[in-house]
Amino acid sequence: MRVARRVEVEGIVQGVGFRPFINRLAAELGLAGEVANRTGGVTVVVEGDADAAEAFVDRLPREAPPIAEIRRIETTAVAPRGLEGFEIGLSRADGAGAIHLPPDIATCPDCARETADPTDRRFGYAFTNCTNCGPRFTIVRSLPYDRTRTTMDAFPLCPACHAEYTEIRDRRYHAEPVACPLCGPRLAFARAEGPADASEDALLRARAALAAGEIVAVKGLGGFHLACDAAHEAAVLRLRARKRREAKPLAVLFRDLEAARACCVVDPEAERLLTGPRAPIVLCPKREAGTIAHAVAPDSGCLGALLPYTPLHRLLFEDAPYAALVLTSGNLAEEPLCTANEEARTRLGGVADAFLLHDREIAAACDDSVARSTALGPVLLRRSRGWVPGAIRTPFALGRILAVGGHLKNTFCLTRGMDAYPSQHVGDLDDLRTLAFFEAQVERLGRLVEVEPEALACDLHPDYITTEWARERSERLGLPLVAVQHHHAHIAAVLAEHGSTEPVVGIACDGTGYGADGTVWGCELLLADLEGFERLAHLREAPLPGGEAAVREPWRMALAWCEAAGETAPFARLPHLAHRARDWEILRAAVRGGLAPVRASSAGRLFDAVSALLGIAGDRSEYEGQAAMRLETAAVACPLELPPLTLAGDGPPWALDPRPLVRALLDLRERGVAREELADAFHRAFAGGLVEAAHRLCEERGVRTVALSGGTFQNERVLVECVRGLERRGLAALWPRQMPPNDGGLALGQAVVAARRLAAGLDRTIGGRG
Ligand code: ZN
Ligand code: ZN
Ligand code: FE
């Protein structure tokens, strides 16, 4: 019997090879019909055998292109019209609604096969791509998304590529970056001191340099990387010394999944991410037997693993003696990524021995994304390449807002309708060049997602560069500015991505954030919704001896907490800190002289303190979170129980007191309990205390849901302990799944709070209720 079905598909289904896919599926099932783009989706009509039509409806969502995001499908029976063949409406002709620009997509299996096939015309070609894969976000100059508005406009299509590009049944139909060795971008090789040579053997020479232990700057998709043999200890140390990056973990690009498995534990979730279209860096537990140089990630029990996501990355391993390459961003310290050939040769000239260049311009820098595989599933630590400019859909109207984010790990966020568009990773805004990058990307993303902001949102911190920038802009353009408290923004971001509007108890733990009372916050239990919050409890404050220096030197926090815990002779019990006795005396004399240190309720600083107290932290931290990362890495599961943090004082806000915990750590350390066990017990006592306190506050306030966020929840032990503990007590736990828990997620929270407060006509500076 002949039947007809109309299928309405909503979501991100344009510009991702969806119509060719529909065409192929219909042809395979012997169905006639048509497909056309419309605002927010596509409309498909199929006609033919009833079983085939049913199979079509069934297979469509399951076999859709990997990067498509189907939000809704509605199928209706319609009268057959006697259609013949399959018609594909042109997207350009209908022109209605914005075509959402997809992110950069990792090489698809078909393109990988062609690049490796000696009989294919794209054999060995580093820029092979199709509608299912390849660059998008990083090559677009302006919209609509069309080859002439991308950096591919410099490469006129050859007849063979043109035929593929215009043939609707071809996998490369309207694949804007389509290219081949005849007409597309080319590689070039250069020694640090020497001209660039665009010869055929650029890849060969790059591989030879890498095999010889040299550092090669490789121009990739969203910017330059610095690469070297990851098993070559001396090469890795040289890279660290030249890049001025002592210990911060470096990512490792493995030849393939097998090579990654030999050096780290790749669980099914990690595998799905590594081999999927977004292909982020995934932190996977190291294997003892792995061959990766120790210097790659000296503080961490994990390796940041990555699989080739462009044909160029695959080709770097062709016939190569190495199976893994360090692949770290091509910049010095915290400067922005290099994207242009000449700029890279100047700025990275002192770091790289050689350069593997190409002539496809990068329209915008975009760092690799980073995820961590945890017992609760993947957590994003950096949402950038492969995700951006994808939207986070919320269930509420947001209006057009620009939220400028925080100061470190900055991202910003634009909103339109019910969608929020977080930017790529911008970085730490200490460098003027990073601020310039921030400004340029604000303009660019605004153009790509077609948002002209009607309001601004920023952090409550008066001195963040982003706050000053937003204030200046709001005054100049006469736009309202909403200042959102840091930890409220952390919690609001979680609520936004989960579409939750009910009040929750939010646990926000991180290094520091500007508190509503002007003091430094960093371990907060808030009764929060999207409009406001009340500070119910926080970690007991401790002084930060020497202010900023206390972040860099964890021993300062160890001694501050010892003193707070009533330890009068710390050096007798902590001989490994004895060399700091004089420094400590000077600090205390300054306090006696009336120079009171800043006090903070910071979870990050408590972790630093414990790490130093147990002799796990180094004398100096190179980056924030290093001491805490070492503490997490050192921990070895044990049955030891420590006194948990307990709620004290007259609240709200109550104080969570860690002093009994600190005293217990000192006693047990003195009695010779292994520091690895103490590290484990500390994590459980800390998380257990948070859970207990949240439970009590939930009961008191009639709340059933607890939201967790802030940089401390990058720590898997803390996250898992908290979530499991809350669930054991019958509470629902929400944690960041689509956004990072660290300050990279702040902008989303700011945007949503600003939208809700503006809509409700509330005060624009949020100091909290109560
Ligand atoms: Zn492809
Ligand atoms: Zn071509
Ligand atoms: Fe934070």
Side-chain angles (χ1 to χ4, degrees):
M1 198 186 76
R2 195 172 172 85
V3 301
R5 297 278 181 272
R6 186 172 63 227
V7 189
E8 301 279 356
V9 188
E10 273 177 35
I12 299 171
V13 290
Q14 300 182 12
V16 293
F18 203 78
R19 287 170 303 154
F21 152 71
I22 292 290
N23 175 60
R24 282 196 301 277
L25 186 59
E28 193 187 313
L29 294 165
L31 293 164
E34 56 195 25
V35 55
N37 278 350
R38 58 179 174 73
T39 309
V42 299
T43 303
V44 187
V45 177
V46 286
E47 216 175 290
D49 178 65
D51 287 347
E54 197 180 315
F56 179 87
V57 171
D58 181 53
R59 284 172 60 182
L60 188 151
R62 289 190 286 118
E63 296 176 22
I67 209 71
E69 205 182 298
I70 297 176
R71 290 194 179 127
R72 208 172 69 87
I73 294 190
E74 202 179 287
T75 306
T76 38
V78 292
R81 282 180 284 156
L83 295 173
E84 278 173 40
F86 206 88
E87 282 287 313
I88 300 184
L90 286 177
S91 72
R92 253 143 273 255
D94 49 67
I99 294 179
H100 286 290
L101 180 67
D104 298 313
I105 309 159
T107 313
C108 74
D110 290 328
C111 287
R113 204 176 308 117
E114 287 169 354
T115 313
D117 175 1
T119 67
D120 194 278
R121 70 189 191 92
R122 291 191 174 82
F123 175 59
Y125 185 51
F127 303 93
T128 307
N129 66 78
C130 73
T131 11
N132 296 323
C133 74
R136 301 285 187 275
F137 178 71
T138 52
I139 57 166
V140 173
R141 286 210 190 88
S142 63
L143 285 183
Y145 177 49
D146 188 85
R147 189 175 177 99
T148 56
R149 292 176 197 85
T150 70
T151 60
M152 287 302 292
D153 67 344
F155 306 96
L157 291 170
C158 71
C161 285
H162 187 260
E164 294 169 330
Y165 181 81
T166 48
E167 168 51 55
I168 186 77
R169 276 151 193 92
D170 196 277
R171 200 176 91 245
R172 296 199 163 84
Y173 173 69
H174 272 287
E176 305 305 342
V178 69
C180 78
L182 268 182
C183 66
R186 279 166 206 220
L187 294 171
F189 182 84
R191 301 293 314 172
E193 324 277 331
D197 180 0
S199 71
E200 296 289 304
D201 61 358
L203 255 172
L204 214 78
R205 293 166 69 187
R207 287 193 298 247
L210 289 166
E214 292 192 312
I215 296 163
V216 180
V218 179
K219 185 177 180 182
L221 202 58
F224 274 80
H225 281 111
L226 290 161
C228 72
D229 182 350
H232 198 302
E233 197 79 50
V236 178
L237 287 170
R238 203 175 321 124
L239 173 55
R240 284 204 177 278
R242 292 191 194 163
K243 195 177 141 88
R244 282 178 260 142
R245 179 157 155 165
E246 260 166 60
K248 211 169 174 179
L250 302 168
V252 178
L253 176 72
F254 287 98
R255 183 176 52 213
D256 51 28
L257 196 56
E258 287 332 295
R261 284 196 199 286
C263 298
C264 47
V265 182
V266 183
D267 66 28
E269 283 284 4
E271 177 180 340
R272 197 180 55 74
L273 281 168
L274 284 168
T275 58
R278 305 190 198 273
I281 295 167
V282 183
L283 304 192
C284 298
K286 279 181 194 168
R287 273 191 207 285
E288 288 285 334
T291 49
I292 301 302
H294 174 75
V296 167
D299 297 319
S300 172
C302 291
L303 281 179
L306 181 69
L307 291 181
Y309 58 86
T310 71
L312 174 61
H313 294 131
R314 283 169 192 275
L315 292 165
L316 282 175
F317 290 99
E318 212 55 37
D319 300 318
Y322 45 79
L325 292 171
V326 162
L327 200 69
T328 183
S329 4
N331 54 5
L332 292 176
E334 296 301 332
E335 290 177 4
L337 270 187
C338 291
T339 53
N341 291 349
E342 279 320 303
E343 175 206 13
R345 295 204 58 188
T346 314
R347 277 171 57 197
L348 302 177
V351 184
D353 300 303
F355 289 80
L356 182 59
L357 307 162
H358 63 70
D359 54 359
R360 185 176 72 201
E361 198 189 309
I362 295 170
C366 193
D367 286 84
D368 294 321
S369 294
V370 184
R372 178 171 193 178
S373 165
T374 77
L376 299 168
V379 171
L380 272 180
L381 304 186
R382 182 195 286 166
R383 184 187 181 280
S384 204
R385 174 184 53 77
W387 272 268
V388 177
I392 306 259
R393 169 57 61 103
T394 72
F396 8 88
L398 296 170
R400 289 178 280 120
I401 290 175
L402 164 62
V404 296
H407 183 72
L408 301 177
K409 296 188 166 75
N410 177 275
T411 67
F412 59 90
C413 181
L414 285 160
T415 64
R416 186 186 60 197
M418 296 162 88
D419 289 320
Y421 298 88
S423 75
Q424 75 265 50
H425 173 72
V426 172
D428 297 352
L429 287 162
D430 293 320
D431 190 295
L432 272 183
R433 272 178 286 208
T434 309
L435 183 64
F437 178 68
F438 168 89
E439 279 192 315
Q441 296 310 308
V442 165
E443 299 312 320
R444 178 170 187 267
L445 190 63
R447 271 186 280 118
L448 294 186
V449 303
E450 297 174 333
V451 174
E452 184 73 50
E454 57 192 4
L456 296 160
C458 65
D459 194 273
L460 195 61
H461 201 307
D463 303 329
Y464 274 1
I465 288 171
T466 45
T467 303
E468 283 171 27
W469 188 90
R471 202 185 298 126
E472 189 275 330
R473 184 148 167 149
S474 106
E475 279 162 16
R476 182 158 47 83
L477 302 178
L479 300 175
L481 171 65
V482 181
V484 183
Q485 199 279 323
H486 190 99
H487 302 95
H488 183 213
H490 272 309
I491 298 304
V494 184
L495 299 184
E497 70 158 275
H498 290 273
S500 169
T501 50
E502 294 302 305
V504 297
V505 167
I507 307 181
C509 294
D510 61 6
T512 49
Y514 190 85
D517 55 4
T519 68
V520 182
W521 293 6
C523 183
E524 312 303 314
L525 278 80
L526 312 173
L527 179 70
D529 60 20
L530 290 168
E531 276 126 47
F533 71 93
E534 180 186 345
R535 193 186 195 201
L536 295 182
H538 56 82
L539 188 72
R540 187 182 196 274
E541 287 105 348
L544 303 181
E548 273 297 298
V551 181
R552 292 189 300 272
E553 298 181 355
W555 61 266
R556 292 172 185 253
M557 290 313 302
L559 295 173
W561 272 113
C562 282
E563 186 165 279
E567 177 55 57
T568 46
F571 298 106
R573 304 176 79 182
L574 302 170
H576 64 284
L577 297 182
H579 65 292
R580 292 297 189 176
R582 234 186 82 77
D583 297 327
W584 187 239
E585 206 28 67
I586 293 167
L587 279 166
R588 299 194 30 179
V591 174
R592 281 194 299 271
L595 201 70
V598 178
R599 297 174 70 82
S601 58
S602 164
R605 297 295 83 75
L606 179 64
F607 276 71
D608 287 355
V610 171
S611 187
L613 198 142
L614 297 179
I616 292 168
D619 214 33
R620 271 182 73 89
S621 288
E622 182 199 341
Y623 53 93
E624 206 196 352
Q626 183 181 22
M629 185 190 283
R630 281 196 180 183
L631 186 67
E632 185 189 3
T633 300
V636 170
C638 70
L640 182 68
E641 293 286 341
L642 294 173
L645 309 179
T646 42
L647 280 184
D650 313 315
W654 287 274
L656 281 158
D657 191 352
R659 288 175 302 175
L661 178 53
V662 170
R663 280 192 289 269
L665 284 170
L666 279 167
D667 292 344
L668 292 167
R669 200 190 125 77
E670 199 169 36
R671 273 190 257 151
V673 177
R675 61 190 193 175
E676 290 77 11
E677 297 194 351
L678 291 173
D680 173 63
F682 166 74
H683 279 87
R684 284 183 284 109
F686 177 80
L690 291 178
V691 167
E692 205 45 64
H695 185 216
R696 208 179 109 188
L697 297 169
C698 279
E699 303 260 277
E700 211 158 274
R701 299 302 178 111
V703 171
R704 303 300 309 155
T705 305
V706 178
L708 311 167
S709 194
T712 301
F713 289 101
Q714 297 175 109
N715 182 313
E716 182 182 4
R717 283 170 182 270
V718 176
L719 176 67
V720 173
E721 281 291 323
C722 282
V723 169
R724 297 222 166 118
L726 291 164
E727 288 175 350
R728 269 199 302 274
R729 283 166 179 78
L731 297 166
L734 302 177
W735 68 95
R737 309 297 293 263
Q738 303 182 61
M739 291 296 289
N742 58 45
D743 285 5
L746 278 180
L748 173 65
Q750 293 171 354
V752 176
V753 172
R756 304 280 290 194
R757 289 189 74 88
L758 288 170
L762 294 167
D763 187 338
R764 286 174 195 162
T765 296
I766 304 171
R769 296 184 293 256

